[in-house]
Amino acid sequence: MSGPCLRHNPLYPNLLLPLDCLPSGEWAEVAEVTGEPRWVGRMAELGLRVGSVVKVLQPGSPCLLEVGGCRLSLRMDYTLQILVRPASVGA
C-alpha cells in the first residue's frame, strides 16, 4: 500500500477511509457522515447517508460522485467528512 490513503486490504475489511482517498471508478459504502447536523441532513436528502453505495466518477476538488443513479459534486473539505468502506462491486 502506498500514498497517504490506505487502499482496500482484505486483512482490514472494516477499514474506513475518507471519501477523498478513493480513485476514479471505485465503489464504496458510506459508513459515516460527520459535520454540522444540518449539513449531514442535507447529504442524507441527496442520498449520501450511512449504508448508501457511491461511485467516484472524478476524484479531487470538486469530487464527482454517483449516488443512487444521480451525480453529486462535493468540495474536498466535504469529502473528508465522509468515511467509506471500499466495496469490491458496484450497486
Side-chain angles (χ1 to χ4, degrees):
M1 291 186 273
S2 63
C5 298
L6 298 173
R7 294 290 315 260
H8 179 64
N9 185 324
L11 297 176
Y12 304 102
N14 294 318
L15 179 68
L16 299 181
L17 302 172
L19 182 59
D20 113 292
C21 287
L22 298 181
S24 181
E26 182 120 5
W27 290 90
E29 178 185 353
V30 177
E32 187 175 338
V33 181
T34 63
E36 295 181 22
R38 193 170 169 185
W39 183 81
V40 173
R42 179 64 179 139
M43 291 298 100
E45 289 172 352
L46 294 171
L48 200 60
R49 64 178 70 82
V50 173
S52 64
V53 177
V54 301
K55 180 181 182 181
V56 177
L57 300 175
Q58 173 187 308
S61 187
C63 177
L64 184 61
L65 305 171
E66 180 180 316
V67 183
C70 297
R71 290 184 176 195
L72 179 63
S73 180
L74 297 174
R75 292 183 295 197
M76 186 177 289
D77 51 335
Y78 291 131
T79 61
L80 293 171
Q81 294 178 254
I82 302 165
L83 298 179
V84 298
R85 185 174 292 108
S88 57
V89 191

